[in-house]
Structure formats: structure tokens, C-alpha cells
Amino acid sequence: MEVGTLTVTTEDKHRDGGQAEAKEAAQFAAAEAAAKAKEAKPAADRKRTRNLSEDKRFKLFSGTANRPLADEIGRHIGVPVGESKIQRFADGEVYFQLLENVRGVDVFVVQPTCYPVDQHLVELLVMIDALKRASAARITVVVPYYGYARQDRKDRPRVAISAKLIADLLTTAGANRALFVDLHAAQIQGFFNIPVDHLFASPVLVSYFRELALPKLTVVSPDAGGVERARFFAQKVGAPLAIVDKRRTDMNVTEVMNVIGDVADKNCLIIDDIIDTAGTLVKTVDALYASGAAAVYACASHPVLSGPAIDRIAASRLVQLVVTNTIPLREAAQKLPKIKVLSIAGLLGAAIESIHMETSVSTLFS
């Protein structure tokens, strides 16, 4: 039986203030510098930095959550995804078998915990356990989208801190290191007792909108919790910042109150990390147009797009929604012309190379 997703959104996302912005800014600057350095290097030098294809102590595996992303990462680093067998019993129970020797190998497992969240999470745990019992030297989980991240604190009586529970499960299963992209709350890194690398997708998104060169652009945060992310984006594209003040009345139910900032006759760009049911997004779009915006665009790292999201986006006045491929788009979303997908495979590939070669990853995330 297919299990749906339970989504909990909190108004206060518990950002870590200036530290998160500093990390993201440093990652963006480093990505630009690395791109320029790569262009300046002779072909022979570039080839020497990509030697993972000859390294017998490195292997890349993937679950079923986002195999296309894993394949693209493999092409970037010159290593094919390892052979394995993933099947399910009639009752849905997952079966996983490695078809390659991993004894003493540095293994990376790509598996976002996207819809169906619980199914993909258990699949990841079973894969980790199999790798541990096959004597892998080190297991790094590459989780482009961390499910349950929105449940990172007790915002109501008698609720679970599910983000911490998932961290414990991954560690107990045998993960030695974790690599994430745009955690909903940066402090989730502290839930782990293993090294965590936290990447930001913003360099990819910023580059796209720089090339688009929208005139009279204003960057908009859809809530107070996303101001740091939106401010960083605004600085990189040289645009002013506006904020939408909202009140959340229930889970996935938001009442937009007012717009703080000048958006009249401006091209507005809404910046968010997760778009789930798109309720907040559509109401933010309506509020911006009501305040005189000329056109409204949006971008987000994780296109969860559950429930009525596709229909809401299609019926809205949103010009374009730009997302990354941390989560594979469903068929209905792929058919919607308003949605454009950018790849973060190169970013993840560079991080995986650095982790394996024991070089600094701080140029990518800190």
C-alpha cells in the first residue's frame, strides 16, 4: 500500500543567523573561484584531478529514490553506479543485495528520503546495514533531500522531534558520514554524532537568474524564517529584499497578511527551500500581485510538490518556478511548462570527490 506524506511546517525555521548566511556566501564564492580555476588549468592537470575511475577503494551506489541523479553524479566523477539488487516482497518489505565486493571500500550511497518518505528511508537504512555487514571501510550517505527535517523541535506539546530520530536511525544503521543539501533547519547538523557536510544549492540557482537578467528585480522571502536565505540571494543578484508577513493557522494552511517592502512594478523572485503543497507559494504570489508586482517568479531547492501543488501552480499567475533535481519530479510536474529543473549533480560530485580524497570540503559549503 502506498503511503502518503505527513507534512508539518513551522513559521520559525530556527535558522542559525549569520552563520548560515556566511556558509552559503563562502560556498558560492568558492564555487565561482573553482569554476574559473578549472578553466585556467591545462587539460592534463584537469584530468589528474579526476582519477576516481582508477580508484579501486571508491564506489558509488544508489537507491530507487533518485537514480537519474546518482547516474549524473557518476558521470561527473567518472565512476558508474555500483551493481545491486533492490526488490520488494508482496507486502512491501524491501530486499537489498550488493552485487559487488565492497570490503575495505569507501562507499557513497545516494538516496533522498522523498515521497514515499518512509519507503525510501527504510530502503536507505537497509542499504547501509548491508554495506556495513559487507565490511565497507566507510559509508557516506548522500541525502539531497532530508525528509522529516521540518520536525526539528517541539513546537507543540507531546510531539516528536522526528529530525533527530532519523539522524539516530542513520547513525545506528552504520553511516559514518552524511552529505546533505539545503537542510530545512541548519541546526539539524547537530543532531548527528558523525561528520556532516551541508551544501547549498544557491550557486546553481543564482547563476540561472543572473543569466536571465530580469530587470527591476526584487527578491522576496515568503516568511520571516527564510530571510537569511533570501538576503544572501538578493546580495548575489544585486537586488533589494522584500518579506511577506504570514500567519499559519494549521499544518499546510497559511494566511498571508501583508508585504513588507516595495514590489510595485517590480519583477519579484520568491526564494524558498521546500515547496510542498504550494499553498504558501500561491498565496505569496497573489499577495505580491495585489501589491502591484509586474511579474512573479519563484525558486526552491526541493520540489516536494505533494497533494494539490501541481494544480495550484498551474492555475496561479506565477511566471516560472525554478527547482533543482534533489527530488525527481513526478510526471504531472514534468509536463508543466512553468517548472524548470536545474541539476546539482556537479556540486554533489565535487563534494564526494573532496570527501573521498580527504581534501577540504569547506570550499563548497563553509
Side-chain angles (χ1 to χ4, degrees), residues 228-248:
E228 293 299 328
R229 183 189 310 108
R231 181 182 293 118
F232 166 81
F233 210 103
Q235 290 173 346
K236 289 302 176 183
V237 297
L241 176 68
I243 304 169
V244 174
D245 174 36
K246 71 178 184 181
R247 178 177 300 167
R248 187 168 300 282

Side-chain angles (χ1 to χ4, degrees), residues 151-232:
Q151 302 180 56
D152 63 312
R153 64 193 178 103
K154 287 190 68 174
D155 58 338
R156 298 179 184 182
R158 299 174 296 279
V159 297
I161 304 180
S162 304
K164 167 60 175 170
L165 172 63
I166 303 306
D168 291 341
L169 288 173
L170 292 173
T171 305
T172 301
N176 304 113
R177 193 178 188 106
L179 175 60
F180 302 118
V181 177
D182 274 325
L183 287 169
H184 187 66
Q187 71 267 16
I188 290 175
Q189 298 173 79
F191 292 171
F192 288 83
N193 292 321
I194 58 175
V196 172
D197 296 311
H198 183 201
L199 298 180
F200 298 93
S202 53
V204 176
L205 297 169
V206 167
S207 295
Y208 174 79
F209 281 99
R210 274 182 172 174
E211 292 177 5
L212 201 58
L214 294 172
K216 300 173 65 175
L217 179 65
T218 294
V219 173
V220 179
S221 173
D223 53 36
V227 170
E228 293 299 328
R229 183 189 310 108
R231 181 182 293 118
F232 166 81

Side-chain angles (χ1 to χ4, degrees), residues 67-111:
R67 180 59 187 260
L69 175 59
D71 288 334
E72 192 175 350
I73 292 172
R75 289 193 293 271
H76 272 275
I77 62 179
V79 176
V81 176
E83 295 294 325
S84 63
K85 179 191 294 185
I86 300 178
Q87 296 177 328
R88 292 195 174 271
F89 292 97
D91 63 352
E93 185 178 312
V94 65
Y95 171 84
F96 176 78
Q97 180 186 9
L98 291 162
L99 301 180
E100 297 184 12
N101 178 28
V102 295
R103 185 178 297 274
V105 172
D106 189 12
V107 176
F108 290 78
V109 183
V110 180
Q111 176 82 335

